[in-house]
Amino acid sequence: QHPQQQQQQQQPMRWSQLVLGTGVLALAGYAVHTIVTPYVAGFWRTWQASARESREAAAKAAADAEKAAAEMRDATRSLAAASEGVADMMRAVKDAQEWSRNETQAQLRELSSAVSELRTAVRSGAGAAGSGGGSGLAGGRGDAWRQHAGMRDYDDYAYGG
């Protein structure tokens, strides 16, 4: 075999190399511990704080949304009650209008009936006056009108006689 091939064969590790390698590893570990660990720890704390803030913000948003939903439910109930009140008022107004219309029609019928009776009474009083059966229309009105109006003593009151 050639002498160069023997040199290229792997040589056993020496104690000095082992100590030097261990020192390099210890130095690298210490560097990681002093330089990288605070950075990683700071990143971890920042991430946890951010995650906590996100959870708190989400919880606050959920609470605000629930509060807004409760307020909307209350407003909806209030609006429904107000709408029902307005509907009741409209029904009452409609009923009052119907009653007023019916009452007005009844009063108009009564008035029309009274006017017809007065016309009949005036005509019959005028017919009696024309035939000489009485004093005619005393004060411009006949006895039939006075009787209809409930004024039998009208002459005594109006003319003192």
Side-chain angles (χ1 to χ4, degrees), residues 12-130:
M13 191 176 291
R14 296 183 194 143
W15 281 102
S16 60
Q17 290 176 334
L18 184 64
V19 169
L20 184 63
T22 305
V24 168
L25 283 176
L27 183 62
Y30 179 74
V32 165
H33 177 70
T34 58
I35 296 171
V36 175
T37 302
Y39 174 75
V40 171
F43 175 75
W44 178 258
R45 282 190 296 272
T46 303
W47 180 76
Q48 281 184 331
S50 174
R52 185 178 342 103
E53 288 173 2
S54 295
R55 285 190 305 270
E56 289 172 357
K60 185 178 183 313
D64 290 346
E66 181 61 34
K67 183 179 176 183
E71 288 174 356
M72 286 183 9
R73 283 190 296 270
D74 291 344
T76 301
R77 284 188 210 111
S78 176
L79 183 61
S83 296
E84 187 62 34
V86 168
D88 290 343
M89 286 175 42
M90 292 303 294
R91 282 190 288 272
V93 166
K94 189 176 179 182
D95 292 346
Q97 286 176 338
E98 184 67 27
W99 178 85
S100 177
R101 186 177 334 115
N102 291 340
E103 188 65 25
T104 302
Q105 288 174 351
Q107 289 175 353
L108 285 174
R109 281 192 295 272
E110 284 182 31
L111 185 60
S112 177
S113 174
V115 168
S116 294
E117 289 178 14
L118 284 175
R119 281 186 188 151
T120 305
V122 167
R123 286 184 188 141
S124 67

